[in-house]
Amino acid sequence: MTVGPMMITGLETGPDDDGGWNLENGDRISVDLFSEALAIWLLLQGRDVSVREASAAFNTTEFVIQQAASWRDSLRLDGDTLCFVKDLDRAREAIGLTELSRAIQVISAAQNAEVTVSEIAVLMMVAPALVRGAVEEHPYMYLFEDEIEHDGE
């Protein structure tokens, strides 16, 4: 998958954090939204991953991954390894289409390039049909043929 220049360079943690994107003010995204996407991605990987692998998947810095991991109580850093520390089966069952759509919105936008349903399906380790359904579920994403588009692009 081709990625563009790094888009997410920091997480919004202050009083301006509205739970969404704040790209016009320092390329920031809500720490809650980003850490949720990171946790869902990690769950779908089915294994612990290195911080480097996570930062590559989200096209961001290792610091952003570390910041998100320290924010969410279901994530933990063990040296350079990102771990999910809650009940895996229960957490996977809790991932509905709405949660998946938020995670796909974050990770697909973070690529800062054109991405396809198939590319995101591989990155998220889910079926392409599930990615399509999640994109259709999200109010700020849509499909143009096989490409995932975001409102405002």
Side-chain angles (χ1 to χ4, degrees), residues 62-149:
E62 291 183 18
F63 176 77
V64 166
I65 299 299
Q66 293 163 344
Q67 186 181 12
S70 68
W71 176 265
R72 188 155 294 270
D73 68 354
S74 60
L75 300 176
R76 185 186 77 220
L77 289 172
D78 184 9
D80 189 40
T81 303
L82 181 63
C83 308
F84 193 87
V85 296
K86 300 284 183 169
D87 183 319
L88 293 172
D89 293 330
R90 194 169 173 192
R92 282 188 192 110
E93 290 173 9
I95 301 172
L97 199 56
T98 300
E99 292 78 19
L100 183 62
S101 73
R102 286 194 303 264
I104 288 172
Q105 192 246 359
V106 170
I107 203 165
S108 63
Q111 304 313 307
N112 205 14
E114 293 180 0
V115 294
T116 65
V117 167
S118 301
E119 290 169 332
I120 295 299
V122 168
L123 190 59
M124 298 293 289
M125 298 184 73
V126 298
L130 197 51
V131 173
R132 286 183 176 281
V135 169
E136 291 169 357
E137 167 81 12
H138 199 280
Y140 302 118
M141 289 189 297
Y142 60 95
L143 294 171
F144 179 74
E145 296 175 359
D146 194 46
E147 290 181 8
I148 299 173
E149 301 286 339

Side-chain angles (χ1 to χ4, degrees), residues 2-9 27 58-60 109-113:
T2 302
V3 297
M6 194 173 290
M7 187 170 96
I8 299 172
T9 58
D27 293 336
F58 282 86
N59 189 28
T60 192
Q111 304 313 307
N112 205 14

